[in-house]
Amino acid sequence: MNSENNSTDNFNNNQSLFKEVLTGTQMLFVAFGALVLMPLLTGLDPNVALCTAGIGTLLFQLVTKRQVPVFLASSFVFIAPIMYGTQTWGIPATMGALAVVGVVYACFSGFIRLRGVGFISKYLPPIVTGPIIMVIGLSLAPVAVHMALGRTGDGSAQLIDQSLALSISLPALLTTLLVSAFSKGFMRLMPILSGIVVGYLLSLYHGIIDFTPVQNAAWFAMPKFTAPEFNWQAIIYMLPIAIAPAIEHIGDVLAISSATGKDYIKKPGLHRTLLGDGIATTAASMLGGPPNTTYSEVTGAVMLTKAFNPRIMTWAACAAIIMAFVGKLGALLQTIPGAVMGGIMMLLFGLIASVGLGSMVKAKVDFDQPRNFIIFAIVLVFGIGGMALNLGGYSIQGISLCALVAIGLNLILPKEEAKAVSYTHLRAHETREDL
């Protein structure tokens, strides 16, 4: 009798384990399109991105004691900084700077543990972070349009005919929009992957894909890991950019807390989740992978499937690491034409900008106050216009300059509390006289 019960228990355990592995692989499939899109746009190795996403997720689970069902992978916020960094200092120096960004996350987590989240609202309110996030998205708009028109990202060369490029990029964009807006259930979680598939099939139809790299690639190959180098100029450029994903991380933790009905801000604590994110980012950068962040797509899948067990993300991470060593997969991903990427990017970068705007709307930023108008206007013009300041032989520009200017103006410019009070007293005085 006992042997029969043991057999039944073993069968149920094996069935449960198989279900966890299958669900975890499904979660990776949800994240896959966005996960590999970022390295393909920035010139990094997609197989390394897969490997570091898996490693980063496992490290996050270790720090948070495997209590939060999230998956970490390539952060879109860093697309523009990585593009600029690799062109200016090279991939190793950019990776070294990003590794330091992970240390900044750890510092943020220490501040939160000691002082709570109050300091974030004081120094990094929505009027500071909102315009910075908008600049991150809008500064990339020309790159998306150039690629959608069949050019290189900087527009210096025409790779394929413009009309042919548009016949690929626009359907890819339209598919992404339609899947995002109208599909239901599981498909709604994969708008990027759907757009890439449609664009890729059209590219096959027009015969612009070369499969020679796939044929030459080995089935099993070591990802092209890159050791970091530490360049102080690259580090100074990259440090302020840590602000935006740190704020984004808080929103993601709140979202998964809402999905599962558990308060992860308290347990395991925001300081632990942010520390886990930072350690994952540093580990990824030390291997040549993009910075990691919690994925909203996977959070959506968790809400849809009610798969709240964090062990599922362990299997998703393991699947990502295994796939990273499939050489033909990386070669296949790199055959995706730039026009397909351009179509997806036109939506993607616009969405990044809209997140910044949405954060200000949700926080009900008062634009009746001139200080808010000033911060918003200066940050946008500096960021999109390409303002640069030379200090001691070093040029500060782009998102770094925007972050410093926004924080500085927010601290310096006076709030109009006094006027608001005097207006209240005036209305009270008028009411008394009316009586």
Side-chain angles (χ1 to χ4, degrees), residues 396-415:
I396 301 177
Q397 57 186 333
I399 301 163
S400 298
L401 179 60
C402 290
L404 295 174
V405 168
I407 293 171
L409 288 176
N410 180 62
L411 294 175
I412 294 170
L413 294 177
K415 296 182 179 180

Side-chain angles (χ1 to χ4, degrees), residues 213-279:
V214 181
Q215 294 171 354
N216 294 336
W219 274 105
F220 299 100
M222 182 72 68
K224 298 176 182 177
F225 297 117
T226 302
E229 296 176 1
F230 295 95
N231 180 306
W232 68 270
Q233 290 184 322
I235 291 171
I236 292 175
Y237 168 77
M238 203 68 71
L239 281 181
I241 300 163
I243 295 171
I247 300 299
E248 181 187 28
H249 173 87
I250 297 172
D252 289 338
V253 173
L254 290 172
I256 193 64
S257 294
S258 175
T260 62
K262 297 181 179 180
D263 190 354
Y264 298 119
I265 297 292
K266 292 183 178 179
K267 185 182 180 182
L270 184 61
H271 64 284
R272 281 189 176 273
T273 62
L274 191 55
L275 177 62
D277 202 333
I279 291 175

Side-chain angles (χ1 to χ4, degrees), residues 126-127 356-369 372:
I127 190 56
L357 181 61
S359 67
M360 292 187 290
V361 172
K362 288 180 181 178
K364 298 180 180 179
V365 173
D366 184 10
F367 279 100
D368 285 336
Q369 290 195 30
N372 292 337

Side-chain angles (χ1 to χ4, degrees), residues 5-87:
N5 290 335
N6 290 335
S7 298
T8 303
D9 290 341
N10 290 334
F11 175 78
N12 290 334
N13 289 335
N14 290 334
Q15 191 176 36
S16 177
L17 178 61
F18 177 75
K19 185 177 180 181
E20 284 183 8
V21 173
L22 187 63
T23 306
T25 306
Q26 180 178 267
M27 294 297 178
L28 176 61
F29 186 64
V30 170
F32 189 83
L35 193 166
V36 300
L37 180 63
M38 197 273 201
L40 290 174
L41 295 177
T42 55
L44 302 180
D45 189 324
N47 283 44
V48 174
L50 273 167
C51 186
T52 54
I55 293 172
T57 300
L58 294 177
L59 289 172
F60 179 88
Q61 290 195 327
L62 182 64
V63 174
T64 59
K65 300 179 181 180
R66 201 159 68 173
Q67 296 183 51
V68 189
V70 297
F71 184 82
L72 274 66
S74 313
S75 173
F76 285 161
V77 175
F78 285 94
I79 291 177
I82 291 176
M83 284 181 169
Y84 179 82
T86 54
Q87 292 170 6

Side-chain angles (χ1 to χ4, degrees), residues 141-166:
V143 176
V145 173
H146 284 318
M147 293 179 68
L149 293 174
R151 305 171 190 150
T152 56
D154 58 2
S156 60
Q158 190 77 37
L159 301 177
I160 61 174
D161 181 71
Q162 181 171 311
S163 59
L164 175 59
L166 286 173

Side-chain angles (χ1 to χ4, degrees), residues 118-413:
F119 84 98
I120 295 178
S121 60
K122 179 180 179 181
Y123 294 103
L124 301 173
I127 190 56
V128 170
T129 58
I132 294 172
I133 297 172
M134 291 184 68
V135 167
I136 291 172
L138 295 175
S139 63
L140 288 167
V143 176
V145 173
H146 284 318
M147 293 179 68
L149 293 174
R151 305 171 190 150
T152 56
D154 58 2
S156 60
Q158 190 77 37
L159 301 177
I160 61 174
D161 181 71
Q162 181 171 311
S163 59
L164 175 59
L166 286 173
S167 70
I168 295 170
S169 60
L170 291 183
L173 171 63
L174 183 61
T175 301
T176 306
L177 291 171
L178 292 176
V179 172
S180 178
F182 296 107
S183 61
K184 296 181 180 179
F186 195 70
M187 275 301 297
R188 191 171 187 177
L189 303 172
M190 295 184 290
I192 292 176
L193 187 61
S194 301
I196 290 176
V197 168
V198 169
Y200 197 84
L201 291 175
L202 288 171
S203 300
L204 282 173
Y205 174 77
H206 290 292
I208 63 171
I209 297 178
D210 180 15
F211 285 107
T212 304
V214 181
Q215 294 171 354
N216 294 336
W219 274 105
F220 299 100
M222 182 72 68
K224 298 176 182 177
F225 297 117
T226 302
E229 296 176 1
F230 295 95
N231 180 306
W232 68 270
Q233 290 184 322
I235 291 171
I236 292 175
Y237 168 77
M238 203 68 71
L239 281 181
I241 300 163
I243 295 171
I247 300 299
E248 181 187 28
H249 173 87
I250 297 172
D252 289 338
V253 173
L254 290 172
I256 193 64
S257 294
S258 175
T260 62
K262 297 181 179 180
D263 190 354
Y264 298 119
I265 297 292
K266 292 183 178 179
K267 185 182 180 182
L270 184 61
H271 64 284
R272 281 189 176 273
T273 62
L274 191 55
L275 177 62
D277 202 333
I279 291 175
T281 290
T282 297
S285 303
M286 296 297 283
L287 295 173
N292 284 322
T293 189
T294 48
Y295 259 32
S296 300
E297 296 95 326
V298 177
T299 299
V302 169
M303 295 174 67
L304 182 67
T305 61
K306 306 299 182 185
F308 299 147
N309 190 338
R311 284 200 304 271
I312 289 170
M313 301 306 168
T314 304
W315 293 113
C318 292
I321 294 172
I322 292 170
M323 289 177 65
F325 289 86
V326 180
K328 285 191 181 295
L329 174 62
L332 181 64
L333 292 172
Q334 292 178 357
T335 64
I336 301 174
V340 178
M341 296 298 186
I344 307 298
M345 288 162 65
M346 286 193 290
L347 173 64
L348 177 65
F349 297 155
L351 286 175
I352 293 174
S354 67
V355 167
L357 181 61
S359 67
M360 292 187 290
V361 172
K362 288 180 181 178
K364 298 180 180 179
V365 173
D366 184 10
F367 279 100
D368 285 336
Q369 290 195 30
R371 70 184 304 276
N372 292 337
F373 267 122
I374 292 171
I375 296 171
F376 183 79
I378 295 297
V379 170
L380 251 61
V381 172
F382 273 32
I384 299 173
M387 173 61 73
L389 297 178
N390 292 314
L391 300 173
Y394 173 71
S395 178
I396 301 177
Q397 57 186 333
I399 301 163
S400 298
L401 179 60
C402 290
L404 295 174
V405 168
I407 293 171
L409 288 176
N410 180 62
L411 294 175
I412 294 170
L413 294 177

